[in-house]
Amino acid sequence: MELPETRVTAVFQLLENGSKQGYIGEDISQLEHALQAAFYATQAQSDNETVLAALLHDIGQFCSAKELRRMLASDSDKWIDVGVVGHEKLGAEYLRRLGFSNKVCELVESHVVAKRYLTATEPEYYAGLSKASKLSLKFQGGPFTPEEARAFEQDPFFQEKVQLRKWDDAAKVVGLETPGLETYRSHGKAQKPNLFGKTIQDISQIVGKLDVPAYRSKQIHKWMYQKGVNTFQDMANLPKTLQRDMDAQYAIDYGRIVDNQLSVDGTRKLLLQFNDDPQASVETVFIPEHHRGTLCVSSQVGCSLSCTFCHTGTQKLYRNLTASEIVGQYMVAAWIANDFPQKMNQQRNVSNIVFMGQGEPLYNFRNVSSAISLLTDRQGIGIAPWRITISTSGVAPLIPRIAKELRVGLAISLHSADNDTRSEIMPINKTYPLKQLMESCTEFAKLAGQQNRRITFEYVMLDGINDSDSDAKRLVELLKHLPAHVNLIPFNPWPGSAYCSSSPERIDSFCSQIRRSGIHASVRTPRGDDILAACGQLKSANKKLI
């Protein structure tokens, strides 16, 4: 999309004027808000049109009513009273008149519509809105009906519209350093899109435009996911011309290893960075054992839940990880563990995956779901679903979908069977209290297959907080009707933590009490605690994270 320089200058001048205009309800300017939204879009490897839409999504707020009347009223009466028309529609029409592409204008026009969709379909979304955004929703039509939501999902730009809305909501950070406005004048230097993370169907569409046989897409897919090859030049059975064409247009990027630490017990902790963004860094941990190797992956950069005993909870949420970034953690670990190329009839060294790293997986359900599809694809990586477990702090409405749609295992970060105590150490309990959580677990057990219906309940042992005999009795009463396994976790200290672990004797007594009731229970042996890689100790090392 090439625009005359004069038109770009006109739009950018409006944005610059926004540096003096406050963003409603927040301590940043309209320009800062626009630059942050564009920054998030760039970090997600979006195309130029989507980045421009993120930058310009509030352009209707920048234009004065006088300008809009002069430009729009000549067309028809519907534009005369600009006070009645939403700023997103005015902004989209303004950009259309200047010659911006249909996609840019569609995305700008729909960010309020996407907000209505998200409030109707994602239980956690509304709770995360600012006070001003919640108030404005009342005047924007409120949440979609189920019929409206289904219709919106058929929109050709549905994914981009939803993602733009989330960038809009996140772009309210005081003091966040972002590239300046001039970065976007020529759309910056466009990064090659990442082919890694694409499905076989996606690759088929891409290859189909290059006038080569359809089977080439299967070859590329196999090289990437079964052989772990990340350069087109190493895909030996592809024609040189196709190698060059693909290399010119796409990258294969798992993320960059920033730090690699090895514990005395063999546990390995990796700090991975995505898109050359120091803030987009997460930790992933590989725990080797005699009979299996478990990889603990992160689903978000930071976390919004603020559990008081968890190191990650001290790191504010920066953004969700994409499916390619989640699966990229596996690829990097599998390479280090010598799992590529895949070997027939031989157990992998990285044999199991648990979503127990940074972030709440169910608050990134779409990308986690896409990542699991890639991980379990029999024509690709091919990990059995029963070897994958999602751990949640208790996002109750989405738990049954783990069994119904993803068909993987479930772990609940429980940590107390008393509502008051759990609410104190895990604020999410105020939103989804124990009764609602247990109902969702019961539904999961009904829907799950035989191999993954047993639910693991994780219980960190905090001295004097949740480790008494009465706490054990409440726990038994809570879980007695479920196919449950209780995993007791000695608290792993981290810098600044306020808790101490229960003594080994107290933990053993607590465990024995649960076992006597007929519920399976075990005590987790801490792994990697010397490098802050044990349960509850993960936090991206980069200090600039917001």
Side-chain angles (χ1 to χ4, degrees):
M1 179 185 62
E2 295 295 330
L3 292 169
E5 182 64 23
T6 53
R7 297 183 182 180
V8 174
T9 299
V11 174
F12 275 42
Q13 186 60 55
L14 283 177
L15 290 173
E16 286 174 359
N17 294 341
S19 64
K20 304 166 188 173
Q21 185 177 342
Y23 181 63
I24 183 169
E26 306 293 340
D27 295 326
I28 60 173
S29 69
Q30 279 278 6
L31 177 59
E32 288 174 314
H33 174 66
L35 289 173
Q36 288 183 22
F39 171 68
Y40 294 142
T42 301
Q43 296 312 304
Q45 295 186 325
S46 303
D47 59 42
N48 284 334
E49 291 173 297
T50 304
V51 172
L52 274 176
L55 180 70
L56 303 175
H57 73 278
D58 273 343
I59 195 67
Q61 298 274 30
F62 291 76
C63 300
S64 68
K66 183 178 179 181
E67 283 180 289
L68 290 167
R69 284 194 182 94
R70 185 182 69 249
M71 184 183 68
L72 302 176
S74 60
D75 192 24
S76 68
D77 290 343
K78 70 177 180 178
W79 295 110
I80 292 177
D81 191 355
V82 296
V84 174
V85 181
H87 74 273
E88 72 281 359
K89 292 186 178 296
L90 292 171
E93 186 65 17
Y94 172 59
L95 295 175
R96 285 191 182 97
R97 302 296 179 92
L98 291 178
F100 281 80
S101 72
N102 178 62
K103 181 175 181 179
V104 171
C105 299
E106 281 262 343
L107 296 184
V108 168
E109 190 168 10
S110 298
H111 70 280
V112 170
V113 176
K115 175 181 173 182
R116 295 180 62 202
Y117 170 81
L118 287 166
T119 55
T121 58
E122 296 190 5
E124 74 280 6
Y125 177 78
Y126 181 80
L129 291 177
S130 67
K131 184 177 180 181
S133 197
K134 287 179 180 177
L135 182 63
S136 64
L137 179 65
K138 297 179 181 179
F139 305 101
Q140 293 166 340
F144 270 164
T145 65
E147 293 76 18
E148 289 173 322
R150 285 193 291 271
F152 183 56
E153 288 169 354
Q154 304 307 309
D155 190 292
F157 300 131
F158 165 70
Q159 294 289 356
E160 291 96 330
K161 289 178 178 180
V162 169
Q163 193 58 62
L164 176 56
R165 179 68 238 182
K166 292 184 177 181
W167 294 326
D168 182 16
D169 294 325
K172 300 169 185 177
V173 182
V174 177
L176 178 65
E177 294 183 12
T178 62
L181 188 56
E182 286 303 310
T183 302
Y184 304 102
R185 181 174 289 276
S186 60
H187 311 159
K189 282 190 176 181
Q191 286 183 310
K192 289 189 289 188
N194 195 2
L195 191 71
F196 181 72
K198 303 290 187 187
T199 65
I200 183 63
Q201 292 80 12
D202 296 329
I203 298 171
S204 295
Q205 289 183 358
I206 291 167
V207 171
K209 298 175 183 177
L210 299 177
D211 194 28
V212 295
Y215 67 83
R216 296 296 186 191
S217 59
K218 293 182 179 179
Q219 291 176 325
I220 294 172
H221 185 266
K222 184 174 182 178
W223 279 109
M224 277 205 306
Y225 294 113
Q226 290 189 3
K227 298 185 179 182
V229 169
N230 62 359
T231 61
F232 295 105
Q233 289 77 7
D234 290 335
M235 298 181 181
N237 58 357
L238 297 187
K240 296 293 183 183
T241 53
L242 180 56
Q243 291 177 0
R244 288 194 296 269
D245 288 345
M246 292 300 296
D247 186 60
Q249 298 180 51
Y250 291 93
I252 301 174
D253 184 14
Y254 308 146
R256 183 168 68 89
I257 300 175
V258 177
D259 197 15
N260 183 346
Q261 298 182 57
L262 186 64
S263 167
V264 293
D265 64 22
T267 298
R268 186 179 297 275
K269 182 172 76 170
L270 302 168
L271 178 65
L272 300 180
Q273 184 183 109
F274 303 105
N275 303 330
D276 293 322
D277 176 11
Q279 299 184 81
S281 302
V282 297
E283 292 182 331
T284 188
V285 177
F286 176 57
I287 307 164
E289 299 175 84
H290 292 302
H291 59 294
R292 65 183 177 187
T294 301
L295 183 68
C296 178
V297 299
S298 296
S299 57
Q300 296 178 306
V301 183
C303 188
S304 62
L305 295 182
S306 302
C307 299
T308 59
F309 52 85
C310 180
H311 201 195
T312 306
T314 66
Q315 178 184 326
K316 291 183 180 179
L317 178 67
Y318 179 51
R319 68 169 173 86
N320 287 335
L321 292 181
T322 64
S324 65
E325 291 165 345
I326 294 169
V327 182
Q329 296 171 67
Y330 165 78
M331 298 297 286
V332 170
W335 257 114
I336 292 173
N338 198 32
D339 274 344
F340 288 120
Q342 290 181 10
K343 304 165 185 70
M344 295 294 293
N345 302 317
Q346 182 177 326
Q347 180 168 301
R348 310 162 197 248
N349 293 311
V350 183
S351 61
N352 293 58
I353 297 176
V354 293
F355 283 78
M356 296 183 183
Q358 294 166 252
E360 167 52 60
L362 298 190
Y363 279 173
N364 187 17
F365 189 89
R366 253 194 212 95
N367 290 336
V368 167
S369 175
S370 296
I372 289 173
S373 294
L374 289 168
L375 289 165
T376 57
D377 179 7
R378 293 182 179 180
Q379 303 304 313
I381 295 171
I383 295 175
W386 62 269
R387 288 187 177 273
I388 299 176
T389 299
I390 288 180
S391 175
T392 174
S393 294
V395 185
L398 296 181
I399 286 173
R401 292 179 65 182
I402 297 174
K404 188 175 182 181
E405 299 174 27
L406 306 183
R407 299 186 296 280
V408 297
L410 171 65
I412 302 292
S413 291
L414 187 62
H415 310 305
S416 178
D418 174 73
N419 263 316
D420 291 338
T421 301
R422 192 167 192 269
S423 293
E424 183 178 340
I425 63 176
M426 300 182 69
I428 193 173
N429 194 70
K430 299 173 185 176
T431 305
Y432 304 114
L434 286 170
K435 183 177 184 295
Q436 187 176 357
L437 177 58
M438 291 302 106
E439 288 172 351
S440 291
C441 289
T442 300
E443 184 65 17
F444 171 91
K446 290 178 181 177
L447 294 170
Q450 193 60 38
Q451 284 185 308
N452 62 0
R453 67 184 300 270
R454 189 171 76 169
I455 304 169
T456 298
F457 290 89
E458 298 155 328
Y459 197 101
V460 64
M461 297 296 291
L462 303 172
D463 184 34
I465 303 295
N466 64 351
D467 63 348
S468 68
D469 287 346
S470 58
D471 286 315
K473 185 177 180 181
R474 276 192 291 267
L475 182 59
V476 168
E477 188 64 25
L478 185 71
L479 303 182
K480 65 183 181 182
H481 299 301
L482 286 168
H485 175 88
V486 176
N487 191 0
L488 301 177
I489 307 167
F491 173 70
N492 296 299
W494 40 267
S497 58
Y499 298 104
C500 294
S501 177
S502 308
S503 68
E505 295 77 18
R506 177 89 291 263
I507 295 173
D508 287 343
S509 175
F510 196 96
C511 186
S512 296
Q513 192 170 342
I514 297 170
R515 286 172 174 168
R516 285 195 298 270
S517 74
I519 295 175
H520 295 281
S522 59
V523 178
R524 183 182 299 180
T525 302
R527 294 289 302 271
D529 53 345
D530 58 317
I531 57 171
L532 292 181
C535 181
Q537 291 183 321
L538 299 190
K539 180 178 180 180
S540 300
N542 193 304
K543 303 300 183 186
K544 292 176 67 177
L545 283 164
I546 58 174

